[in-house]
């Protein structure tokens, strides 16, 4: 019998091991208050802090946030530069507290596209928190799911060309190992705020079996009650990974 192409990376616990979030709606939140867009992003930092705290309290092991997509580079220049400043500022202000709370920080994306100053802050915060054993917070910046898959494909092609990997050995596991989230189990739950119901080029490979939860709430208004609502939705799901419901009930697979 052939091996299933996608193996569950989690047990059927009612708490997701890995939650990924598309934080959308900052601009509309600001507009509805007659404020500039960057004040929406600033307000969004509060929801980031709450999400990290709630994830840790609920026993979630991995939280991955989509902070800036490959496509976001085409936003107006002043919005891009204020977002980049906000990332530097947030790192400066929050890393000590994250460290005290045993959070491990990881950044993924085309980080070489970022300014030297931001890259330096990223490297420092990753180093500082590298040995922490609590929640792993992954922030995707200048990230695109297609970019991730292309990078992985190039790396596989290079290995096949230099003989360190045989073509027949290219499988799910070998491919996943080349992706940005190679050291992280696939997300169990994807949350998207802001009313749109799409993936927007986030973790295209890794979200294959994620439960998807969408809310009209705008990101700056995402609070603990809304997060818990998403977690309750998840707890009510039977995850089958291609098996039948009966199989899952009898064997727990
Ligand atoms: C999408 O809302 C949001 C972003 C592109 C930026 C998200 C960034 C933050 C929440 C800032 C802090 C993040 C970290 C990790 C410190 P949008 O601007 O697309 O909203 P709109 O759809 O209403 O215009």
């Amino acid at each position: 019998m052939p091996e299933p192409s996608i193996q569950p990376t989690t047990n059927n616990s009612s708490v997701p091991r890995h939650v990924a979030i598309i934080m959308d709606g900052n601009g509309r939140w600001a507009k509805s208050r007659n404020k500039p867009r960057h004040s929406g992003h600033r307000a969004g930092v509060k929801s980031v802090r709450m999400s990290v705290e709630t994830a840790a309290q609920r026993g979630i092991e991995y939280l991955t946030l989509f902070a800036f997509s490959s496509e976001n580079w085409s936003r107006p220049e002043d919005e891009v530069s204020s977002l980049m400043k906000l990332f530097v500022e947030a790192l400066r202000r929050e890393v000590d507290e994250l460290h005290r709370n045993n959070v491990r920080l990881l950044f993924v994306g085309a980080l070489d596209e970022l300014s030297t100053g931001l890259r330096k802050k990223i490297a420092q915060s990753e180093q500082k928190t590298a040995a922490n054993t609590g929640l792993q917070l992954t922030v995707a910046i200048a990230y695109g799911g297609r970019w991730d898959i292309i990078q992985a494909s190039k790396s596989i092609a290079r290995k096949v060309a230099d003989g360190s990997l045989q073509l027949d050995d290219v499988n799910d596991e070998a491919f996943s190992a080349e992706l940005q989230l190679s050291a992280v189990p696939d997300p169990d739950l994807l949350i998207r705020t802001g009313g749109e119901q799409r993936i927007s080029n986030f973790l295209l490979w890794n979200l294959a079996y994620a439960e998807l939860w969408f809310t009209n709430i705008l990101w700056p208004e995402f609070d603990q009650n809304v997060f818990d609502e998403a977690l309750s939705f998840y707890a009510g799901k039977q995850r089958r990974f291609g098996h039948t419901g009966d199989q899952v009930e009898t064997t727990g697979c």
Side-chain angles (χ1 to χ4, degrees):
M1 193 174 67
E3 279 291 296
S5 65
I6 297 178
Q7 303 275 4
T9 54
T10 179
N11 55 24
N12 258 326
S13 152
S14 62
V15 179
R17 247 186 117 186
H18 182 178
V19 175
I21 308 186
I22 300 178
M23 310 178 286
D24 195 14
N26 294 347
R28 277 165 285 160
W29 181 89
K31 195 170 177 192
S32 70
R33 284 163 178 74
N34 289 319
K35 290 180 171 176
R37 292 179 60 82
H38 71 81
S39 73
H41 298 313
R42 287 191 166 274
V45 178
K46 185 174 51 68
S47 304
V48 169
R49 200 178 298 125
M50 178 285 299
S51 301
V52 173
E53 284 163 10
T54 305
Q57 283 166 13
R58 304 291 184 263
I60 291 161
E61 294 172 55
Y62 302 90
L63 177 68
T64 301
L65 304 177
F66 202 8
F68 191 86
S69 72
S70 315
E71 293 75 25
N72 287 152
W73 287 120
S74 49
R75 290 195 172 195
E77 227 175 280
D78 61 336
E79 181 171 347
V80 171
S81 80
S82 70
L83 264 170
M84 294 298 148
K85 276 190 206 133
L86 186 60
F87 295 141
V88 175
E89 199 184 298
L91 282 174
R92 193 175 295 136
R93 274 212 246 127
E94 311 284 346
V95 170
D96 286 346
E97 177 74 6
L98 291 170
H99 186 47
R100 269 196 295 280
N101 285 293
N102 201 21
V103 173
R104 183 165 173 229
L105 260 168
L106 179 75
F107 287 81
V108 296
L111 303 182
D112 55 347
E113 293 175 2
L114 305 175
S115 70
T116 319
L118 179 51
R119 270 187 285 153
K120 207 167 144 195
K121 277 261 150 252
I122 285 174
Q124 284 167 351
S125 58
E126 285 183 336
Q127 275 157 21
K128 183 165 192 165
T129 61
N132 289 346
T133 54
L135 175 77
Q136 175 168 315
L137 171 62
T138 303
V139 181
I141 297 191
Y143 175 87
R146 289 184 175 180
W147 166 85
D148 198 0
I149 290 170
I150 290 168
Q151 296 305 309
S153 308
K154 284 182 180 168
S155 180
I156 294 272
R158 255 182 248 116
K159 288 185 175 174
V160 171
D162 73 16
S164 59
L165 180 69
Q166 298 306 303
L167 190 57
D168 286 344
D169 293 333
V170 178
N171 54 20
D172 255 42
E173 202 187 334
F175 197 84
S176 298
E178 303 299 332
L179 291 165
Q180 296 279 297
L181 290 190
S182 58
V184 177
D186 286 346
D188 303 295
L189 171 67
L190 172 78
I191 296 173
R192 180 175 184 145
T193 61
E196 307 295 355
Q197 303 201 352
R198 53 182 175 245
I199 305 296
S200 295
N201 201 17
F202 196 28
L203 304 171
L204 294 181
W205 171 281
N206 319 66
L207 288 171
Y209 268 75
E211 303 295 335
L212 309 178
W213 190 80
F214 302 100
T215 174
N216 289 331
I217 297 282
L218 305 173
W219 180 249
E221 286 164 351
F222 186 73
D223 61 17
Q224 199 162 64
N225 290 334
V226 187
F227 200 161
D228 282 338
E229 220 182 289
L231 296 177
S232 299
F233 157 85
Y234 178 84
K237 287 281 164 190
Q238 182 192 55
R239 308 196 69 209
R240 294 195 287 272
F241 300 101
H243 295 86
T244 67
D246 286 348
Q247 282 177 306
V248 174
E249 271 159 34
T250 50
T251 66
C253 58

